[in-house]
Amino acid sequence: MKKFYSIITAVSLAVSGVLGVYMFCQRFALLHLGLLYDELYSMATAFPGFSWAYIWREMLLKDVNLPLYNFILYGWNHLFPLTPFYMRLLSALVSAATVPLVWFLAPKRWSPIQRFIFTALMAGSFALVQFAGVIRAYSFAVLAVATLTLQALSLLDLLATHKNPSAKRWAAFFLTGLFAAYLHYFSSALFFITALLIFFYACYFKTGRKTVFWGTAAVFACWLPWVYHTVTLMASPGSSWWYATPPLQASFEIAQFLFGSDRLLGGLVVLTVLAGTSILFAYKKTLLLRTDFIVPLGQSLILLGVVAAVSHKYNLWLDRYFLAAMPSFLLLLAYALFHLQARHKILIVLLPLLLMGWIGEHWEFVHNAKQEPTGLKNALTHLTQLEKRHTLLVDTAKTGYPPAALQVMYTFYAPKNYALELIPLTLQNRKLAFTGEKLPVLIPVCSVHHLIFTETTYGLEEAQEPLIFAPDICILSAKPGRIIKND
């Protein structure tokens, strides 16, 4: 029987390795796709034709997004052509680099199987693969959170022996935290949560308390100016935020986004309940000292609590935001799988089965992927090549980004050297839509709600059925209508 279990383990690990390598390579499979709306903004804030001082002043300081990724992409765009492929390549390379990095940063006490399970999950996560090349900070945030979490586990191993880690180890952790703090608000939150957990353990072990406190305080002091800027900007008159989603519905949608369809999600829930129950009974006297379990659990629970609290005012229940927390979620899952296979060797088969399920999710995504996600390319082709337009009205009320970025965003797909002027739609110039040349109105982030908002706010009616390009871009040909003021 022992030989049988050895064969099952070897085959399961081999299959998982092959599946992990396949998903690792898939990070580079979709770099040709066109740019999403948010990606166009990333491109605009890293446009090599602008000086960094101009981008900082006219775009980043008028937006709430953390600026470090934009700075890195700005440097990258000075080295490589400004095309979707090369801009996506930067994020994909960072996502790919995270996989071997977690293998080498894993605590030394981990067995090869535990190290392999976590690395395979990081390689095979379909959510991480699908967003690997997205031109946003997500891949960098995942890298930062994975690094600081594994650094934390190694620091706690030393604290448990009542040895204060070296200054070099502490410095690496806090520098990673500062990197995370300026990438994404979720990665910054996860750093401070992790530092808090280390502080609790440092108090318990009576070692390293001052180092944790003052190191975290230094990172917070460096981060505080941008937080103050963000709070001030969002409190200003006229600021807006994402629509609210009922927390229960949002939680279910986020879980599907991160872990898969109903069947996969149901299986993971059963696995988590069984593993959690077994862990509680097996280690009930020493559970709090099992940092491989407590740290990612604490990260996850405290993060969810913070998101729930903040979402009373600003909705943060957005699926892609939680990508930054995937290293924490996958650490918990890896611990559960490792514990189950340690108790019952045959349960190692759960790892390749899970990876195969995630590959199925990825294949469905690839099948549904479109060459041009935003429709902006087709819209501009229609306006410039068919209608020969050189001037457009643009509804900027719901764009969500600083006006200085819009010209670059909306003309990215225009023909080279084609003179195209974008005029922000206002109550004063609304007549340009139905007099003289009768300029078309370009409505980005278009939906029925946004279309009605534009028509009633600016007193426009549809002269003909609006042209829809993919789900998020439309062009309105207008005639005079009635202005309806919002109370």
Side-chain angles (χ1 to χ4, degrees):
M1 186 63 72
K2 187 176 181 180
K3 185 176 181 181
F4 171 75
Y5 287 142
S6 297
I7 293 173
I8 291 293
T9 300
V11 171
S12 297
L13 295 178
V15 172
S16 299
V18 172
L19 298 176
V21 169
Y22 170 76
M23 290 294 273
F24 176 88
C25 296
Q26 285 297 298
R27 284 165 164 79
F28 302 95
L30 299 175
L31 303 185
H32 63 281
L33 292 180
L35 302 186
L36 298 163
Y37 185 72
D38 287 346
E39 292 179 300
L40 284 167
Y41 178 67
S42 294
M43 179 274 301
T45 57
F47 188 64
F50 294 147
S51 69
W52 179 250
Y54 175 81
I55 292 172
W56 180 260
R57 182 180 67 253
E58 298 297 331
M59 299 183 201
L60 297 179
L61 286 181
K62 296 180 180 180
D63 186 31
V64 298
N65 287 290
L66 290 158
L68 181 55
Y69 169 73
N70 308 87
F71 179 74
I72 296 171
L73 184 61
Y74 182 73
W76 176 270
N77 285 344
H78 276 78
L79 299 175
F80 298 95
L82 190 72
T83 65
F85 174 85
Y86 282 104
M87 286 188 287
R88 290 188 183 283
L89 182 61
L90 172 62
S91 295
L93 288 172
V94 169
S95 178
T98 304
V99 176
L101 186 67
V102 300
W103 174 274
F104 291 110
L105 287 181
K108 293 180 180 179
R109 60 182 166 74
W110 279 17
S111 69
I113 290 182
Q114 186 174 5
R115 190 183 300 250
F116 178 86
I117 290 173
F118 180 54
T119 305
L121 292 176
M122 289 291 293
S125 166
F126 75 94
L128 295 183
V129 171
Q130 288 171 12
F131 273 74
V134 170
I135 309 170
R136 300 291 284 173
Y138 304 127
S139 290
F140 284 82
V142 170
L143 170 70
V145 172
T147 301
L148 68 88
T149 301
L150 293 175
Q151 287 174 328
L153 293 178
S154 295
L155 290 171
L156 290 173
D157 285 348
L158 289 172
L159 293 177
T161 63
H162 301 282
K163 293 180 181 178
N164 196 2
S166 66
K168 185 178 179 181
R169 282 181 176 270
W170 282 119
F173 174 71
F174 292 124
L175 286 174
T176 305
L178 184 60
F179 180 69
Y182 270 93
L183 282 171
H184 193 276
Y185 289 105
F186 274 46
S187 61
S188 59
L190 284 163
F191 165 71
F192 291 114
I193 291 169
T194 306
L196 178 65
L197 293 172
I198 294 177
F199 181 74
F200 287 154
Y201 276 105
C203 290
Y204 178 79
F205 294 124
K206 299 179 180 179
T207 307
R209 287 170 291 187
K210 290 183 179 180
T211 308
V212 182
F213 179 85
W214 289 113
T216 306
V219 174
F220 184 77
C222 294
W223 185 61
L224 188 59
W226 193 267
V227 176
Y228 176 77
H229 158 75
T230 299
V231 172
T232 303
L233 196 63
M234 295 183 67
S236 61
S239 64
S240 60
W241 194 247
W242 287 102
Y243 59 87
T245 307
L248 190 61
Q249 175 190 342
S251 301
F252 180 68
E253 292 173 354
I254 290 167
Q256 287 183 313
F257 173 82
L258 296 176
F259 299 109
S261 60
D262 293 353
R263 290 184 180 181
L264 261 176
L265 197 57
L268 285 173
V269 169
V270 172
L271 184 152
T272 303
V273 171
L274 291 177
T277 303
S278 178
I279 290 168
L280 287 174
F281 278 101
Y283 310 121
K284 54 186 175 183
K285 293 183 179 180
T286 60
L287 184 62
L288 292 178
L289 297 178
R290 296 192 171 271
T291 55
D292 297 348
F293 178 71
I294 294 299
V295 168
L297 180 64
Q299 287 176 320
S300 303
L301 294 179
I302 296 174
L303 177 67
L304 291 173
V306 171
V307 170
V310 174
S311 292
H312 283 291
K313 186 170 181 61
Y314 302 110
N315 179 40
L316 296 179
W317 295 108
L318 298 174
D319 47 20
R320 59 190 181 276
Y321 286 6
F322 285 85
L323 287 166
M326 277 301 281
S328 304
F329 297 152
L330 294 181
L331 261 175
L332 275 176
L333 183 56
Y335 190 86
L337 288 170
F338 178 71
H339 173 79
L340 289 175
Q341 69 83 35
R343 304 279 287 184
H344 305 284
K345 297 294 185 184
I346 198 169
L347 293 181
I348 190 64
V349 300
L350 293 174
L351 177 60
L353 289 175
L354 175 59
L355 292 176
M356 284 189 282
W358 281 352
I359 287 177
E361 295 288 327
H362 175 65
W363 283 349
E364 183 177 353
F365 172 80
V366 172
H367 177 73
N368 294 329
K370 298 177 180 178
Q371 295 298 312
E372 179 49 54
T374 66
L376 187 60
K377 182 176 182 179
N378 292 335
L380 286 177
T381 298
H382 174 85
L383 290 167
T384 59
Q385 297 184 21
L386 295 181
E387 295 193 16
K388 306 295 182 183
R389 297 282 188 171
H390 288 273
T391 308
L392 307 175
L393 288 170
V394 180
D395 177 19
T396 61
K398 294 293 184 180
T399 57
Y401 290 124
L406 301 183
Q407 179 75 25
V408 179
M409 290 172 64
Y410 298 154
T411 59
F412 180 74
Y413 285 122
K416 191 175 182 180
N417 300 323
Y418 188 91
L420 184 62
E421 180 185 7
L422 302 181
I423 302 175
L425 178 64
T426 65
L427 285 171
Q428 289 70 36
N429 65 23
R430 56 183 281 271
K431 291 183 179 180
L432 294 175
F434 50 81
T435 60
E437 293 183 32
K438 297 183 179 180
L439 300 181
V441 180
L442 180 67
I443 305 177
V445 197
C446 188
S447 66
V448 173
H449 172 76
H450 290 142
L451 188 60
I452 294 173
F453 174 87
T454 300
E455 292 176 352
T456 56
T457 301
Y458 300 105
L460 303 175
E461 289 187 8
E462 299 170 11
Q464 62 185 52
E465 187 175 344
L467 299 175
I468 308 296
F469 297 90
D472 54 359
I473 297 287
C474 59
I475 298 172
L476 173 66
S477 298
K479 62 183 181 181
R482 187 164 64 92
I483 297 174
I484 300 176
K485 295 183 178 181
N486 295 321
D487 297 326

